[in-house]
Amino acid sequence: MDSDRGARTALIVGAGVAGLTAATALAREGWRGEIAEVGPPDATSGWGLCLTVPSLRALDELGLADACLAEGYGMSTITHVDVRGEPAGTVRLPRLLGARRPAMAGIARPVLHRVLYAEAERRGVVVRHGVTAAAVDQERELVRVRLSDGAVRRVALLVGADGIRSSTRRLLRLASSRAFHGQMVWRALVPRPRWATGIHQFAGATGTAGLVPVSDRQAYVFLTENGVGLGALPDAEFASRLRNLLGPFPGRVAEILPLISAPEAVVRRPVVTHFLEGAWNRGAAVVIGDAAHAPAPQMASGAALAVEDGLVLARELGRHDSVGAGLRAFVHRRRRRCRTLVETSVTIVALEQARRHHEAYPLVDSCHRLMAEPV
Ligand SMILES: Cc1cc2nc3c(=O)[nH]c(=O)nc-3n(C[C@H](O)[C@H](O)[C@H](O)COP(=O)(O)OP(=O)(O)OC[C@H]3O[C@@H](n4cnc5c(N)ncnc54)[C@H](O)[C@@H]3O)c2cc1C
């Protein structure tokens, strides 16, 4: 079916963190938005996310921080434990939302998506599942998009928010190269131990592991595995392999090991980064979130950058007369911050690979300081 839409209409490809928050931010500025999501509803995998201080601040601007705090687990401290299992200090994070609200939140990924979906739909955004953009052409000031089900949209703005393997980026011929860093990150959902009321980070001889609460009942364990290839591991072995990797870690990690049992609660993902050095947009089409810049997950900042992108995009489009000028201003405002995050995360990965992970801690702190600056 052919459909003409026109002024202040946006088609967003991808209903992840970037796509859903961009759709909400645009709707608040008076845009009519539609999302084309290739996956089925409720397809998000079950691991948890840390919504760091800037994530929560950006979500607050969309009116969503309180829902995330209510559905997730608010916290304000990171407790470091050294290689001998001794306490090595507690970092109290700045409470950017005011003294009465916690600095950050842990949240299960499907729960975060439910919160973001509900708000986008409440703002009139239509989410269509099982479709993607198949072809894109600029037609004067509009973008003509042919969807994979044959439908055609003519919109003032196309947003590619379809993740690190973005096919929108390919359709727009925006050059990108992804890098795999010989690491796997592990996440496992476990019952929350009563002592885990903030993030706990355990320094091991060869790497770092930790625990992040995501609700009163649940927490996730994280660990980075060095020196691995891209080869797959049978799902059934996930839990035992993660227990083996955590085995040499000190302190209360021993209490966590028996909690890791269900293979379906464990995820293992390659550490892949990328940054779009060249253009992020072509005409009135732009890529945001992981499609434009993906730091290594150790920084726990990809979602923060994704939410900030949506906010800044909507703001800059509101400030400029043409979509082209708004997109140029958006990219100008986002490029430096996102590049610094991605590049620093790559340096941290290299330090971890060289077993110099302790030297990475100040870099993580410097990035948290950068991210605490206003967007
Ligand atoms: C293991 C792991 C742990 C992480 N932990 C944290 C953390 O604690 N804190 C944090 O801030 N960040 C974390 N990150 C990073 C964070 O997950 C990402 O930066 C964030 O999800 C990016 O959001 P996005 O919407 O750009 O991309 P995605 O979340 O990847 O969403 C992309 C969406 O687009 C859809 N899609 C893909 N292709 C198409 C297509 N062709 N057409 C239509 N739809 C499509 C996908 O189905 C998906 O819904 C972690 C990443 C990993 C891998």
Side-chain angles (χ1 to χ4, degrees):
M1 195 178 74
D2 209 55
S3 125
D4 276 336
R5 311 271 309 262
R8 285 173 87 72
T9 52
L11 177 70
I12 295 149
V13 184
V17 178
L20 289 167
T21 51
T24 292
L26 288 166
R28 286 161 62 103
E29 295 280 334
W31 288 74
R32 272 193 300 139
E34 179 182 19
I35 301 183
E37 162 61 48
V38 78
D42 303 325
T44 330
S45 25
W47 81 81
L49 264 187
C50 179
L51 298 173
T52 51
V53 178
S55 282
L56 216 51
R57 174 181 59 190
L59 287 163
D60 199 41
E61 285 204 37
L62 294 174
L64 292 168
D66 287 329
C68 292
L69 285 165
E71 301 268 353
Y73 192 95
M75 55 200 170
S76 302
T77 58
I78 304 178
T79 303
H80 290 279
V81 179
D82 72 16
V83 276
R84 291 156 302 153
E86 300 296 329
T90 295
V91 179
R92 287 183 201 288
L93 296 160
R95 293 176 180 239
L96 293 189
L97 305 189
R100 273 182 294 173
R101 288 191 285 176
M104 56 186 176
I107 194 164
R109 220 166 238 262
V111 174
L112 173 64
H113 276 254
R114 220 168 39 235
V115 170
L116 303 184
Y117 247 100
E119 182 61 11
E121 288 189 331
R122 194 181 74 78
R123 296 247 168 215
V125 175
V126 175
V127 185
R128 295 183 61 215
H129 288 272
V131 279
T132 185
V136 176
D137 296 292
Q138 190 74 35
E139 279 185 354
R140 297 204 180 127
E141 74 278 12
L142 295 184
V143 189
R144 180 181 186 277
V145 186
R146 184 166 51 77
L147 297 173
S148 51
D149 62 0
V152 172
R153 300 286 185 263
R154 286 185 178 80
V155 286
L157 173 68
L158 171 68
V159 180
D162 45 351
I164 190 165
R165 288 179 183 76
S166 172
S167 61
T168 311
R169 191 174 62 215
R170 216 167 35 246
L171 288 175
L172 298 176
R173 297 185 309 281
L174 302 174
S176 161
S177 54
R178 299 190 302 266
F180 168 61
H181 297 280
Q183 283 187 323
M184 290 282 167
V185 279
W186 292 81
R187 299 281 191 270
L189 278 181
V190 295
R192 182 180 71 84
R194 287 168 67 97
W195 48 265
T197 55
I199 295 180
H200 283 253
Q201 192 159 316
F202 303 94
T206 57
T208 304
L211 192 67
V212 180
V214 294
S215 70
D216 267 347
R217 290 186 305 108
Q218 283 188 307
Y220 73 82
V221 182
F222 63 87
L223 174 126
T224 308
E225 183 183 7
N226 289 315
V228 275
L230 275 170
L233 197 67
D235 289 5
E237 290 176 24
F238 274 19
S240 59
R241 172 96 181 134
L242 180 56
R243 280 196 304 270
N244 287 343
L245 290 167
L246 285 165
F249 278 84
R252 298 189 106 155
V253 174
E255 293 174 37
I256 302 169
L257 294 185
L259 306 177
I260 302 169
S261 51
E264 65 277 10
V266 184
V267 295
R268 177 181 183 257
R269 293 279 188 279
V271 173
V272 180
T273 60
H274 98 107
F275 181 77
L276 261 186
E277 280 297 346
W280 292 15
N281 74 301
R282 201 167 289 285
V286 68
V287 289
I288 66 168
D290 273 11
H293 44 72
Q298 287 94 318
M299 303 292 298
S301 292
L305 293 180
V307 182
E308 288 179 357
D309 275 358
L311 270 178
V312 176
L313 178 65
R315 262 189 227 151
E316 291 302 332
L317 289 169
R319 271 184 202 151
H320 290 83
D321 291 338
S322 72
V323 170
L327 293 186
R328 278 192 296 281
F330 161 73
V331 177
H332 179 71
R333 277 191 55 193
R334 298 299 292 155
R335 190 183 282 283
R336 196 181 130 262
R337 187 176 178 95
C338 298
R339 179 195 277 122
T340 304
L341 251 290
V342 174
E343 287 179 355
T344 311
S345 78
V346 172
T347 307
I348 289 169
V349 166
L351 287 169
E352 288 177 349
Q353 294 278 42
R355 297 194 175 188
R356 289 161 54 199
H357 46 287
H358 299 99
E359 293 171 46
Y361 298 159
L363 290 180
V364 175
D365 286 346
S366 75
C367 276
H368 286 318
R369 276 198 300 280
L370 169 77
M371 288 295 287
E373 287 171 17
V375 194

